[in-house]
Amino acid sequence: MKIDYKKHQEKFWELSKSTQKLTVIKYCELFGLNYATAKRYIKRWKNNKLTPTTSGIKTIKRHERTEFWIKHVRSYLLLATENPKLTLEKYAIENNINYNTFRTRFRKLKARPELCPLYQKKLTAEKVNNTKSKIEKIAAISNEINRLSIELHFLTTDSRVNYVE
């Protein structure tokens, strides 16, 4: 039989208004509930408001941590747009943050609406940088080919031998 914890929550709040010292443990003992399970669903009532429970505190801390990582991801994306050779690892080392955690958070946060345009700019900057690198490599190879063809031309045309017909 499934226990309706919403009803128990309401009963607990009603009883806790009249009995200030009622705890979730005592309530569970009164109604024969398993405390280990009920504590997830039944929360304390204080001054006509739900008190911040540990899960509420965790939510606040989680929100602060998320904001911390969003700030770092945004900062990285802005810097990486200007300098496409900047890696996640270099950024993490420079800012004294754990690289593996930063990499994981980056993967999760880059799709957020406020960060997605920055991520797209970073990708574009990387593509431009890669294209420039490829063009530079092609130009270097082309110069080397020209140099070798000139050298080969001089080697094949010996100035000491005159061909007379």
Side-chain angles (χ1 to χ4, degrees):
M1 183 173 153
K2 190 172 181 178
I3 298 171
D4 188 1
Y5 284 104
K6 287 184 182 180
K7 287 183 181 177
H8 280 288
Q9 176 70 72
E10 290 172 12
K11 278 185 191 176
F12 176 76
W13 283 344
E14 288 173 19
L15 291 173
S16 66
K17 283 181 185 177
S18 59
T19 311
Q20 292 294 324
K21 294 187 179 184
L22 181 66
T23 64
V24 177
I25 295 173
K26 288 180 185 176
Y27 180 84
C28 290
E29 289 172 359
L30 282 173
F31 288 93
L33 298 173
N34 181 354
Y35 173 70
T37 305
K39 70 180 180 179
R40 287 184 251 154
Y41 302 100
I42 300 174
K43 306 297 178 193
R44 295 213 23 94
W45 184 272
K46 187 175 183 181
N47 299 331
N48 294 333
K49 292 184 180 179
L50 191 60
T51 61
T53 59
T54 54
S55 64
I57 292 169
K58 286 179 184 175
T59 303
I60 292 168
K61 287 181 180 176
R62 188 177 307 124
H63 176 71
E64 289 172 359
R65 284 193 312 261
T66 302
E67 289 300 317
F68 170 83
W69 290 113
I70 287 173
K71 180 187 86 169
H72 277 291
V73 168
R74 181 180 293 116
S75 175
Y76 167 73
L77 288 172
L78 289 170
L79 291 171
T81 302
E82 295 169 10
N83 177 14
K85 292 182 181 180
L86 179 67
T87 64
L88 287 170
E89 187 173 14
K90 285 180 185 176
Y91 180 86
I93 291 169
E94 289 172 2
N95 290 280
N96 281 337
I97 54 178
N98 184 298
Y99 164 64
N100 292 322
T101 307
F102 182 53
R103 186 183 69 219
T104 303
R105 299 293 181 184
F106 178 79
R107 233 182 294 132
K108 291 179 181 179
L109 294 173
K110 68 184 179 186
R112 288 178 74 107
E114 66 268 25
L115 298 175
C116 195
L118 291 174
Y119 181 63
Q120 294 302 322
K121 285 181 184 177
K122 177 200 174 294
L123 290 178
T124 304
E126 281 180 351
K127 286 178 185 176
V128 167
N129 188 46
N130 289 342
T131 304
K132 285 180 182 176
S133 295
K134 287 178 183 175
I135 290 171
E136 289 170 358
K137 287 177 185 175
I138 291 170
I141 291 170
S142 176
N143 289 339
E144 184 66 16
I145 290 172
N146 286 339
R147 187 187 65 75
L148 290 173
S149 67
I150 291 170
E151 193 175 307
L152 181 63
H153 176 72
F154 283 120
L155 289 175
T156 56
T157 56
D158 194 350
S159 61
R160 291 178 283 158
V161 178
N162 287 330
Y163 294 102
V164 179
E165 293 183 32

